[in-house]
Amino acid sequence: MPKIQRSPEEIDAFREHIMAHALDLMVEEGYEGFSMRKLALRLHIAAKTIYNYFHSQDDLYLNLLIKGFDQLLTDFQAAVRPRKDPMAQLEALIRAYMDFGLTHANIYNLLFTWHVPKYKDYIGTPMEETAQKQLDSALKCPAFFMACLTACLSCEIKPPDDLIRLEMIRIWSQIHGYLAGINNTLLQYMHNDPVCLKEEILDRVITQAEKDLAALDARLKSLPPAPDNP
């Protein structure tokens, strides 16, 4: 019998199916314990079938990262879109990041917590191009974050990127520390129900961001105007 050809929609759906089970298996076995053979057994298919959809284990892994970062960016955009006030947009973005980490703990840990290969590990290998696509996908998230922070400033002077990047890293570090503590159960040894602290943590992070941005705004406004070009 002739081989049945899958439609593009069916191919995409099966790729998603493979990636979903790959993530579950990585959670169970750890990144180092993951293999295409184990994944094939889990899916009840031949390992060579997976290679029809992903060229290699690294190709599957990198596409899983791309999918995760694309979803995070989509969540950022969806949270910000209905709001017009820049500070309301920033608050929505911070909350979207928190919700992503709590709701999608497995992919969050793969993106941000586990010690797994990064772009530089693939430089000079056949996977460098795919790793570059993954890095480009990942960097869209902090770029979007920095744009939201910059929009909260009323001063017409463009702030140095380093200052905005520092504020983004401070906010990310606070939320990431909380999320990592929940996802790895460490905070359960410090608090009976650490998830219930979510709103208080968010309020503190957002309030501090407002203070920092107001201080930066005042600092920029105090600078002397740039000299006119002759």
Side-chain angles (χ1 to χ4, degrees), residues 32-51:
E32 296 298 332
F34 175 84
S35 72
M36 299 291 252
R37 179 184 60 80
K38 291 179 181 178
L39 179 58
L41 288 172
R42 186 187 188 96
L43 293 169
H44 304 292
I45 60 177
K48 65 180 182 180
T49 301
I50 302 176
Y51 289 102

Side-chain angles (χ1 to χ4, degrees), residues 209-225:
E210 291 175 343
K211 291 179 179 179
D212 288 349
L213 289 168
L216 178 56
D217 223 4
R219 176 181 170 185
L220 292 172
K221 288 178 180 178
S222 69
L223 295 176

Side-chain angles (χ1 to χ4, degrees), residues 21 119 129 151 183:
H21 280 278
Y119 166 72
E129 183 177 350
N183 292 344

Side-chain angles (χ1 to χ4, degrees), residues 38-122:
K38 291 179 181 178
L39 179 58
L41 288 172
R42 186 187 188 96
L43 293 169
H44 304 292
I45 60 177
K48 65 180 182 180
T49 301
I50 302 176
Y51 289 102
N52 291 330
Y53 296 87
F54 298 96
H55 301 306
S56 64
Q57 183 169 314
D58 284 320
D59 185 36
L60 170 56
Y61 161 69
L62 289 169
N63 275 279
L64 191 55
L65 294 187
I66 291 171
K67 174 180 169 59
F69 281 115
D70 285 351
Q71 182 58 59
L72 178 57
L73 181 62
T74 296
D75 288 0
F76 280 175
Q77 293 169 335
V80 167
R81 192 176 297 115
R83 295 163 176 82
K84 303 300 181 184
D85 177 70
M87 277 307 307
Q89 291 180 339
L90 178 61
E91 178 178 347
L93 186 153
I94 292 172
R95 288 181 174 277
Y97 182 79
M98 176 75 84
D99 289 341
F100 182 89
L102 292 174
T103 305
H104 308 289
N106 289 345
I107 189 64
Y108 180 88
N109 287 336
L110 184 62
L111 298 181
F112 296 110
T113 307
W114 296 348
H115 183 66
V116 290
K118 304 292 192 298
Y119 166 72
K120 290 182 179 179
D121 297 305
Y122 291 102

Side-chain angles (χ1 to χ4, degrees), residues 164-195:
I164 296 297
R165 184 175 291 106
L166 176 61
E167 180 62 15
M168 176 197 66
I169 291 173
R170 186 195 65 77
I171 293 171
W172 177 83
S173 297
Q174 284 185 300
I175 300 176
H176 174 68
Y178 174 67
L179 290 171
I182 288 178
N183 292 344
N184 66 19
T185 73
L186 180 62
L187 285 183
Q188 293 180 15
Y189 292 92
M190 304 179 193
H191 194 281
N192 289 333
D193 183 17
V195 177

